[in-house]
Every structure is written in C-alpha cells, then in structure tokens.
C-alpha cells in the first residue's frame, strides 16, 4: 500500500515498484479538502469528478515514473564511475594522465557488437561582443540593401534572433562565419562573434549502442541517461 509519512516524504508501494506522490487532499475536522494550484483548500463536494479522475491518473503515472527516474540516475552515475575507473587503470598501466575533459571516449566490446560513447557537451553563453557584431552587420546590410540576396539577409536575421527564453542559436551564428564575404567590416563582425563565445559549463553524456553483427549499422539502446 502506498502512503506518505508524517514528514511528507514519499513511501514505496509494496510489490509493484510504484511510489505515491504527496496527496493533493487532506482531512480537516472530518471533512475532505483538495488543494488547488493556488494553494487554496476546496471542499470535496466542489471538485468535479473529472478533475478527481485526472488527479488520480497523474499521480498513478508519476508514482511509477519516480522510481524509474531514480533508477536511471543511479545507473547513469554508476556508468560514469565504471568508465572513469577503467580509464584510471589505463593511466596506471601507461603511467600517464589523459588529456582534455572526461569525455569524447568510445568503448567497444571485444566482439564489436556493443559500444559505449561518452561525450561532453559545452554550454555556451555570448558576451557583449555579440552586440558589437550585430551593429556592424546591420551597417553592412543597410549599405548592401541593393546587392545583398534575400537568402543571405534571412540567414543573418535568423542568426541574431532569440527564442522565447531569450537565447540565441549557436549553430545559426556559426553559419554566419561560413559565409564567403570579404568586406573588412564583415570580417571584424565575425571576429567579434568569435570573441563573444564564452564556455560557461559542460555536461557529460553516455550513450549505448548495439548491432547484430560487425557489418550491421549501430542502433541506440534507448535508455535516456543524458538527463542530469
């Protein structure tokens, strides 16, 4: 039976592997009240049957998701620990330390049917140089209005656009660096873009692959261990 302890922590269900999220209702003076999204207490009789069923559905599914999420997190950490222990053994054998970050490594089973890839993804932020670059590019576009193609203008406008979270797409900016434009101002703008890149963090990823034989293509083993 699932339940919540007096301290509000989640307790495990017996037998089915599910856990119970904290309940969304409580008993006060013998009456049942539901807590709404604003924190208010709604009498049981005022809550629609459909809302009660939806609440039950969500808590049931989340109850199974919570232990799975915790299991994946443990698996992810144990996998990184095992990889690091193996690399440390290699370092001891060759009496040398590996260079670079703890990523961009590939491990393959002896028969070539299984593969593990550990990679590092860098988090990029953009410094004030980016605004300087945009000012120069805008100046170029004003003067090139008669000659610049619609396609180039679209690429430039997309590169400096921000999404709903105020973020700029790194790949779109990099696409500007590939344009074959030799105007001196443009080249200064591209250098400003390069100088604006700031590495503000990194994250390790581990992915597993398998194949039927050594000539077959790799297929991903679909366990999402990339979420930290």
């Amino acid at each position: 039976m699932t339940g919540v302890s007096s301290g509000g922590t989640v307790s495990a269900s017996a037998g089915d592997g599910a856990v119970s999220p904290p309940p969304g209702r409580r008993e006060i003076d013998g009456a049942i009240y539901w807590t709404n999204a604003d924190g208010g207490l709604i009498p049981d009789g005022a809550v629609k049957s459909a809302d009660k069923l939806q609440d039950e559905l969500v808590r049931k599914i989340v109850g199974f998701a919570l232990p799975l999420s915790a299991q994946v997190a443990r698996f992810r950490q144990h996998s990184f620990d095992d990889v690091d222990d193996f690399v440390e053994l290699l370092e001891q054998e060759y009496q040398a330390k590996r260079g670079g970050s703890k990523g961009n490594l590939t491990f393959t089973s002896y028969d070539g049917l299984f593969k593990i890839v550990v990679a590092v993804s860098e988090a990029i932020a953009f410094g004030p140089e980016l605004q300087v670059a945009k000012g120069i590019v805008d100046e170029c576009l004003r003067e090139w209005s008669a000659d610049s193609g619609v396609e180039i203008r679209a690429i430039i406008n997309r590169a400096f656009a921000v999404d709903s979270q105020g973020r700029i797409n790194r790949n779109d900016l990099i696409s500007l660096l590939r344009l074959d434009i030799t105007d001196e101002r443009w080249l200064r703008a591209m250098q400003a873009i390069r100088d604006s890149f700031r590495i503000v963090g990194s994250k390790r990823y581990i992915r597993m692959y398998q194949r039927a034989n050594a000539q077959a293509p790799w297929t991903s083993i679909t366990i999402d261990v990339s979420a930290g």
Side-chain angles (χ1 to χ4, degrees):
M1 180 176 180
T2 58
V4 178
S5 70
S6 59
T9 57
V10 176
S11 61
S13 171
D16 60 5
V19 299
S20 176
R25 58 188 183 275
R26 67 180 69 176
E27 182 177 337
I28 302 176
D29 296 331
I32 300 298
Y33 292 86
W34 292 70
T35 305
N36 66 12
D38 296 325
L41 296 176
I42 309 301
D44 182 70
V47 180
K48 296 178 181 179
S49 297
D51 289 338
K52 293 179 181 179
L53 288 173
Q54 184 175 174
D55 182 87
E56 180 182 359
L57 168 70
V58 171
R59 292 180 189 279
K60 176 183 176 181
I61 294 174
V62 169
F64 283 102
L66 289 173
L68 288 175
S69 177
Q71 185 178 5
V72 168
R74 290 192 299 270
F75 169 71
R76 177 178 179 271
Q77 187 57 54
H78 287 320
S79 298
F80 282 137
D81 291 342
D82 290 344
V83 165
D84 290 339
D85 288 344
F86 175 74
V87 173
E88 186 175 341
L89 286 176
L90 292 181
E91 291 174 340
Q92 293 175 2
E93 179 178 350
Y94 292 100
Q95 298 181 352
K97 291 290 185 180
R98 62 181 165 185
S101 57
K102 295 183 178 182
N104 304 317
L105 302 171
T106 299
F107 306 88
T108 309
S109 63
Y110 192 73
D111 60 6
L113 301 185
F114 301 96
K115 179 173 67 172
I116 295 173
V117 176
V118 179
V120 173
S121 175
E122 294 178 337
I124 302 292
F126 301 99
E129 297 90 345
L130 189 61
Q131 295 303 316
V132 174
K134 187 176 187 307
I136 298 173
V137 169
D138 286 344
E139 177 184 338
C140 292
L141 285 179
R142 286 193 296 270
E143 294 191 15
W144 299 344
S145 58
D147 302 322
S148 58
V150 175
E151 296 84 358
I152 291 181
R153 296 179 68 88
I155 292 173
I156 293 172
N157 290 332
R158 185 176 68 243
F160 287 103
V162 297
D163 62 16
S164 58
Q165 282 76 44
R167 296 172 302 194
I168 291 179
N169 189 298
R170 175 188 176 188
N171 291 332
D172 286 339
L173 276 179
I174 291 176
S175 70
L176 292 186
L177 303 178
R178 300 193 183 103
L179 295 178
D180 185 19
I181 299 176
T182 58
D183 187 294
E184 185 271 336
R185 293 167 302 174
W186 178 268
L187 297 178
R188 283 192 288 114
M190 296 305 99
Q191 186 58 53
I193 290 177
R194 294 185 184 93
D195 293 342
S196 74
F197 286 14
R198 306 279 197 277
I199 298 176
V200 295
S202 63
K203 186 174 182 179
R204 298 177 80 191
Y205 294 85
I206 183 167
R207 296 181 176 90
M208 285 73 61
Y209 301 86
Q210 63 181 347
R211 57 185 177 181
N213 55 67
Q215 287 72 45
W218 292 105
T219 60
S220 175
I221 299 174
T222 55
I223 299 175
D224 182 13
V225 294
S226 62

